[in-house]
Amino acid sequence: MGALNRVAPLLLFLAPLLIRAQTRPTFIAQPGRVIAIALPVSLLNDSGIARQLGSGLTTVFLLAAKPRGSARVDIRFDVWDEVWIVRRLDFDGHDERQRITSRDALEKWWSSPLRLLTGDPPHVSVDVTLTVLPFSAAESEDARAWISKSAGSAESGRGSPLVAAVIGTTLNAKPIRSYRWQSEVQLK
Amino acid sequence: MRGWRSIAVVVLAVCGATLLFWLLVHQVSALWMDVALRADVRQALQQSVDDQKKLRVLDANGSAEYRRHFEETSRLLHRLDVLRMSREQMLQRFEVMLVGLFAVAASLIAMSIVVRGNRGRARERSQYLDRIADLQEIERRRAHETRGPLTAARLELERADDAIARGAPQQEIAAALGSVGDELERLSRLTHRQPSFAAIGAPVLRPTSLAEVVKEFCTTFANAWPNVALRFEGGEARVCADRDLVRQVLVNLCTNSAMAIAEKGSVTFTIARNALDVADTGSGIPESLRARVFDPYVTTRRIGEGTGLGLAISRKIMLEHGGDLQLAGSTTSGTTFRLTFGEMDCN
C-alpha cells in the first residue's frame, strides 16, 4: 500500500507523456526529398474521433506542415453497406479513394505513409498541425441549404436572406481535436 | 455638465435595455434551438435508420425501397447533427445580430428623445425671454405714461412757486395750480384706466338670449367708436352668461377693432349654435403675434394707447363661462374672434 502511494504520483505524472507518445506520428524520408507522415492508430481510437467516425458524417483530418506542405484525409462510415469510404489527398494533389470493409484494414490504411512535403537535405525541421473536423464542407452546405429553406415561406420555398446569412456564416465545422508535432527529419 | 449627464443617462439606458433584450433573446433562441435539436427526435430518426437496415434482411425484395428511406432519414439525421455541432456558434451569431440591431434602434430612439428634449428646452427658454421682453415693454410704457403728467405737474408747480415768489397776480398762481390739478387728474384717470385681472369678478350666470345681448350692445354702443359701424347679422342661442361681463368682452374686442380700422369700417356679429363671431374689417393681427395674442401685455399699439391686457381679460371671462375666446382668423383685411359658451348649468 505504501509502495503504491509512492508510485501513484509518478504514474499520474507520466500518464500524459505516455499518451502523448502514443499519439505521435512517424515522419519518414522518402525518395525525391519527400517527407511522409504515418499517423498513429491511437488517433482513431480517441473517444471523440471514434464517436465521430461512426456518425455517418465525413470526418476530415487536415494536415498543415511547415515549411510548406499540406494533406487531407476524409473518412466516412457508410452505415448501409457498413464500409469505410476513405480519401487521401497528398501535398502534390495525388487523390486516392477507397472502400474499406474492416476496421483492421482501415487501421492499416490509416497508418500507411502520407506524402506531406518536400525539404532540402540533409535535414528538415518539420512542424505539423493536425485539425480534426466533424463534417465536410459539402455536408455543411447541405445543412445550410436545408435549414435556410425551412426558415423561408412554405409557399415560395425560398429561404429568408437574413436567416441564410446567419446560417451561412455559422455552419462552419468547429474542430473536435487538434494536434501539433515538431520533428527533425534526415533526408537522404 | 448637464449635457454629459444626459449622455451618460442615455448610454446607461441603452446598455440596460440592450442587456435585457439580450437575456430575452438568449432564452428564446436557445429554447428554439433546443426544441429543434431534441434528443428524442434524433433517437427516433436513428431508430428509423436501424429499422430500415433490419428490414432489408427480412425482406430482400424491398431492399431498394428500404435503402431509399434509409438514405433520406440518414440525410436528415446528418443535417441535425451538423446543426447540433454548430449550435453555440449559431446562437452567438444570431444573438449578436439581433442585439446589435436592437442597440442601434435603441440608440436612435434615445438620441431622438434627447434632441427633442433639447429643442423643447430651447423653445421654453425662447418663450420665457419673449415674456420677459413683453414685461419690460409694459414697464417702459407705464413709466412713459406716468412720467408725462408728473413732469407737467412739476413744471406747473415750479411756475406757481415762481409766481408766488415774484408776487404775481392771484389769477396767474391759480392758473398754474389749476394746471397741476389737471395733470394729477390725468394721472389718476390713467391708473384707473388700466384694467387688472384682480378687478374681474366671477361671472353670475343666468339663462340669457345671446341675440338680445348683441342687439342691446349694438344699440348702446352705436356711437362709441366713430370709425366703426356695429352690425348684427342674426342668429340666436340661449346660453348661460353674465350679461355685464360678456358686454365687457365685446367692448374690449370693439376697442381693438377701432384701433385696427384706419378710417371707416365695421364690426359684424354673427350667432351660430353656442358661439358668437365678432368680425372686423381692420388691418389684421401680424402673424408673429397670433400665437401670443391672448398673453398679457402683448399689444401692437403705440405707447400710451393700451396696456395689452384686454384680450387676456376677455379670454379669462369666457373661460370662466365654461367656454373660450379664440382667434378664428386674421388677414390683412380683417380679424374674426369667436366667443364660445359652454354647456353649463346656470344654477
Side-chain angles (χ1 to χ4, degrees):
Chain A
M1 195 63 186
L4 186 61
N5 283 342
R6 280 195 296 275
V7 173
L10 186 64
L11 286 173
L12 282 173
F13 174 73
L14 289 176
L17 295 176
L18 290 169
I19 292 166
R20 200 172 167 185
Q22 279 188 328
T23 56
R24 266 195 80 77
T26 308
F27 292 94
I28 303 154
Q30 292 190 335
R33 299 184 290 124
V34 171
I35 298 170
I37 184 170
L39 293 164
V41 173
S42 61
L43 275 178
L44 296 181
N45 296 325
D46 174 276
S47 60
I49 295 174
R51 189 170 58 247
Q52 197 57 38
L53 285 173
S55 70
L57 287 165
T58 306
T59 308
V60 180
F61 300 82
L62 289 175
L63 286 153
K66 288 178 184 171
R68 212 171 43 175
S70 62
R72 173 178 168 167
V73 178
D74 292 356
I75 302 176
R76 182 171 72 84
F77 183 62
D78 186 323
V79 183
W80 182 263
D81 291 332
E82 296 185 353
V83 294
W84 304 91
I85 297 171
V86 297
R87 182 189 182 193
R88 287 209 303 197
L89 274 168
D90 290 345
F91 78 97
D92 54 1
H94 175 69
D95 191 351
E96 176 200 344
R97 294 164 194 256
Q98 281 192 47
R99 286 168 68 86
I100 297 173
T101 53
S102 72
R103 176 78 187 191
D104 288 343
L106 175 71
E107 288 182 0
K108 189 178 174 188
W109 171 83
W110 170 260
S111 49
S112 61
L114 176 64
R115 289 152 57 87
L116 189 58
L117 74 161
T118 55
D120 296 324
H123 64 270
V124 180
S125 294
V126 184
D127 185 345
V128 178
T129 306
L130 170 65
T131 307
V132 186
L133 302 175
F135 49 84
S136 67
E139 288 160 346
S140 166
E141 174 58 26
D142 177 61
R144 190 202 64 76
W146 174 68
I147 195 169
S148 178
K149 195 175 174 182
S150 303
S153 64
E155 291 80 10
S156 66
R158 292 173 59 191
S160 155
L162 188 64
V163 173
V166 172
I167 294 166
T169 53
T170 50
L171 282 184
N172 298 317
K174 191 178 171 186
I176 53 171
R177 291 282 187 277
S178 59
Y179 302 89
R180 187 178 177 190
W181 302 294
Q182 290 169 316
S183 184
E184 293 286 326
V185 181
Q186 295 290 328
L187 287 174
K188 295 166 187 173
Chain B
M1 193 64 188
R2 187 176 173 179
W4 283 110
R5 201 182 304 154
S6 300
I7 290 168
V9 168
V10 167
V11 168
L12 279 174
V14 169
C15 289
T18 306
L19 183 65
L20 282 174
F21 183 74
W22 173 75
L23 286 170
L24 180 71
V25 165
H26 183 69
Q27 295 297 323
V28 172
S29 54
L31 176 70
W32 167 78
M33 190 66 90
D34 290 342
V35 167
L37 300 174
R38 279 175 66 106
D40 51 358
V41 173
R42 193 189 189 288
Q43 279 173 5
L45 290 172
Q46 186 64 56
Q47 186 63 50
S48 171
V49 166
D50 294 343
D51 289 347
Q52 300 299 325
K53 279 184 72 181
K54 286 174 190 165
L55 281 169
R56 73 168 172 178
V57 178
L58 297 172
D59 177 19
N61 292 334
S63 181
E65 184 67 12
Y66 298 137
R67 176 155 199 169
R68 193 175 63 76
H69 284 303
F70 169 87
E71 285 181 349
E72 281 175 4
T73 314
S74 290
R75 199 175 299 123
L76 192 58
L77 198 57
H78 293 159
R79 287 166 176 167
L80 287 177
D81 282 344
V82 169
L83 288 181
R84 182 174 48 78
M85 284 183 274
S86 307
R87 178 184 178 281
E88 293 307 319
Q89 280 174 288
M90 284 183 72
L91 280 180
Q92 275 178 9
R93 193 66 58 91
F94 188 66
E95 286 168 16
V96 164
M97 186 192 69
L98 281 182
V99 169
L101 285 173
F102 178 85
V104 169
S107 301
L108 288 175
I109 291 168
M111 279 168 61
S112 157
I113 290 169
V114 168
V115 168
R116 277 189 192 176
N118 286 341
R119 278 187 193 156
R121 277 194 291 277
R123 194 164 47 241
E124 193 184 325
R125 277 198 296 272
S126 170
Q127 285 173 349
Y128 176 77
L129 289 173
D130 284 347
R131 284 171 198 277
I132 291 293
D134 289 342
L135 287 171
Q136 283 178 321
E137 176 64 14
I138 194 62
E139 287 305 317
R140 197 169 66 81
R141 283 165 178 270
R142 278 184 179 166
H144 183 87
E145 285 178 346
T146 51
R147 198 182 299 126
L150 278 175
T151 304
R154 185 171 54 82
L155 289 172
E156 290 300 325
L157 269 176
E158 282 174 5
R159 190 159 69 90
D161 191 37
D162 182 54
I164 292 165
R166 61 183 163 80
Q170 191 65 30
Q171 207 171 3
E172 188 182 342
I173 296 167
L177 291 174
S179 295
V180 172
D182 289 345
E183 291 303 328
L184 289 176
E185 178 62 26
R186 192 176 148 208
L187 196 58
S188 175
R189 280 202 309 274
L190 188 70
T191 52
H192 277 94
R193 198 181 68 199
Q194 288 176 346
S196 154
F197 284 110
I200 309 167
V204 180
L205 301 175
R206 291 198 178 86
T208 306
S209 161
L210 205 49
E212 273 180 26
V213 173
V214 174
K215 280 178 195 166
E216 184 189 277
F217 177 81
C218 288
T219 306
T220 310
F221 290 86
N223 302 314
W225 300 281
N227 61 335
V228 177
L230 303 179
R231 291 185 191 138
F232 177 42
E233 291 287 308
E236 170 61 308
R238 299 287 300 175
V239 296
C240 289
D242 183 320
R243 296 173 76 102
D244 292 339
L245 288 178
V246 171
R247 194 166 67 174
Q248 186 180 334
V249 171
L250 297 181
V251 166
N252 288 343
L253 291 177
C254 288
T255 304
N256 288 348
S257 295
M259 295 282 189
I261 293 168
E263 293 176 356
K264 289 279 182 185
S266 64
V267 174
T268 307
F269 302 92
T270 312
I271 299 171
R273 296 185 183 169
N274 276 12
L276 167 62
D277 281 357
V278 182
D280 68 30
T281 55
S283 55
I285 299 168
E287 197 171 347
S288 59
L289 276 183
R290 286 178 200 164
R292 300 187 295 135
V293 79
F294 294 107
D295 287 359
Y297 305 122
V298 172
T299 181
T300 56
R301 294 180 206 160
R302 290 193 298 273
I303 290 169
E305 292 181 349
T307 57
L309 284 171
L311 284 176
I313 290 167
S314 299
R315 188 168 188 221
K316 183 175 184 291
I317 290 171
M318 293 313 298
L319 288 170
E320 284 179 346
H321 274 75
D324 203 351
L325 173 64
Q326 294 162 317
L327 177 63
S330 185
T331 65
T332 51
S333 55
T335 300
T336 303
F337 282 94
R338 179 166 297 153
L339 287 72
T340 53
F341 295 83
E343 302 286 345
M344 292 180 74
D345 181 0
C346 295
N347 298 321

